[in-house]
Amino acid sequence: MNNFIYHNPTQLVFGKGQIARLPKLIPADKRILITFGGGSARRNGVYDQVVRALEGRTFFEFWGIEANPSVETLRKAVALGKEQHVDFLLAVGGGSVIDGTKLIAAGLLYDGDPWDLVLRGSSSHTVPLASVLTMAATGSEMNNGAVISRYETREKYAFYGNYPVFSILDPETLFTLPKRQIACGLADTFVHVLEQYLTTPGQSRLMDRWAEGILHTVVEIAPKALGETRDYATMSEYMLSATLALNDMIRMGVTQDWATHMIGHELTALHGLTHGATLAIVINGTLRTLRDQKHGKLLQFGERIWGISEGSEEERIDRTIERTEAFFRSLGLSTRLSQEGIGEATIAEIERRFNASGVHHGEAQNVDGAMARRILEACL
Ligand code: NZQ
Ligand code: ZN
């Protein structure tokens, strides 16, 4: 195991009716800015629960943070927050609203353009923020990451701010999610685990077993989560799986990949494809292209998750990669770029962007422009 420091300060408040706890969780003297997406919170009653809980408190509302939050919109929220001297942020929504709010939290204490902070990559000088989660996928409710887009230049980059001080996870808020969002959320959760697990074997039995526990859970609940979206027990498992997949817990002391995510962000930036949907395509190309590098872990993954233990090692890896792609298909997601009408022009642009920024992603730091091209060509 490699050295590591683990410090996750987010208080998780889980279960039915927990939104009513808001007044106990936010100090009484705070001037709160509540941030929302495009309107789902108003339609499904979450807004009413939040406003009822905070009756008598000083709060302002900012609506309109998009899926794949844009700096263009977040600048307006920063301006409102500064004007109202806000000193606490409450994000009500999915990963996009929480991510956007992480940048607002830093932007409120920064004099320049928030995009500078995104380009810088991080800022821990922030106003405190918390969340009421309504879409399970990103883990943003219990990590310090955010991914921010700039629509005018079709760019999308990771930014690190602070962890939410608390996050309320009421699985009933997920009952109104469209099936495609659930499919994308399950895919995102699954790939978050693979990015931290499917690297080099023999680093930590404990991390492997935790990761495999989440993978098994996602595979088991997926049909029910897509079939009975109002089943509380199933949505609870889905919601907590997504949080635990990316809250620093399963990556202690082990190497990580993240190349699939970095390529996926480019597909979103260039085509607007939903985050989880990009991963369901790119991960297959990553596994096919880097199968030798990931040989030992692919065998372990195939045996422990898909029960593939017969045949030569190469045959087992072939079947493991096929079985993984079949899982994403079973969620109703595309697994090939061609299904989304994406081809050579996009591959060339992503290769150009990776070369221009000189990146080397992946656990072996070998995913540069040329490797990204090979991965994408393996997804056609
Ligand atoms: O905008 P509204 O009207 O609220 O609708 C949203 C949105 O259209 C809707 N929705 C959310 N909760 C709902 C609901 N509809 C009905 N009922 C509910 N309860 O769902 C749509 C998608 O929401 P979004 O927040 O975009 O989804 P998600 O949570 O998947 O977040 C995606 C963003 O997170 C980033 C992605 O890149 C993408 O920008 N990521 C953030 C990470 C992090 N912070 O650590 C890691 C991830 O890998 C990911 O990159
Ligand atoms: Zn993701």
Side-chain angles (χ1 to χ4, degrees), residues 116-326:
D116 301 344
L117 300 171
V118 177
L119 293 181
R120 210 177 286 169
S122 67
S123 171
S124 54
H125 185 46
T126 66
V127 164
L129 83 140
S131 81
V132 173
L133 185 67
T134 68
M135 156 78 200
T138 65
S140 189
E141 64 280 7
M142 202 177 179
N143 68 39
N144 66 343
V147 194
I148 309 295
S149 299
R150 184 172 171 191
Y151 290 172
E152 59 181 327
T153 49
R154 299 209 291 175
E155 291 169 284
K156 187 178 193 210
Y157 300 126
F159 163 78
Y160 294 88
N162 264 324
Y163 291 74
V165 289
F166 68 81
S167 284
I168 297 179
L169 276 61
D170 177 348
E172 287 190 334
T173 64
L174 306 184
F175 287 0
T176 53
L177 280 173
K179 286 192 179 164
R180 182 170 163 85
Q181 286 300 335
I182 297 174
C184 287
L186 291 165
D188 197 17
T189 302
F190 198 85
V191 176
H192 288 163
V193 178
L194 294 188
E195 298 273 26
Q196 299 162 91
Y197 163 79
L198 229 166
T199 56
T200 315
Q203 298 186 79
S204 167
R205 289 166 191 274
L206 185 58
M207 292 302 124
D208 283 359
R209 294 293 188 186
W210 269 351
E212 288 157 1
I214 298 171
L215 294 174
H216 274 304
T217 306
V218 171
V219 172
E220 276 173 29
I221 63 166
K224 208 160 173 195
L226 289 167
E228 298 174 41
T229 59
R230 304 183 78 88
D231 182 84
Y232 184 81
T234 305
M235 293 324 246
S236 300
E237 304 272 19
Y238 161 39
M239 200 170 207
L240 196 55
S241 296
T243 303
L244 297 185
L246 196 51
N247 73 343
D248 311 341
M249 190 187 81
I250 62 165
R251 68 174 190 207
M252 293 182 214
V254 298
T255 52
Q256 300 170 59
D257 183 341
W258 298 109
T260 296
H261 265 71
M262 294 306 142
I263 297 171
H265 291 335
E266 296 296 340
L267 292 176
T268 302
L270 293 165
H271 293 277
L273 199 56
T274 303
H275 175 63
T278 69
L279 306 177
I281 296 171
V282 178
I283 188 70
N284 307 296
T286 302
L287 299 186
R288 281 191 279 270
T289 307
L290 296 171
R291 60 181 286 155
D292 292 341
Q293 178 180 310
K294 293 178 181 292
H295 181 96
K297 220 46 186 287
L298 276 167
L299 289 171
Q300 180 178 325
F301 168 59
E303 180 163 2
R304 293 192 187 173
I305 303 302
W306 305 127
I308 297 168
S309 54
E310 312 260 298
S312 71
E313 292 193 345
E314 292 310 317
E315 284 164 1
R316 282 155 57 192
I317 290 174
D318 284 342
R319 295 210 333 263
T320 297
I321 295 173
E322 282 161 19
R323 185 68 191 75
T324 306
E325 185 170 349

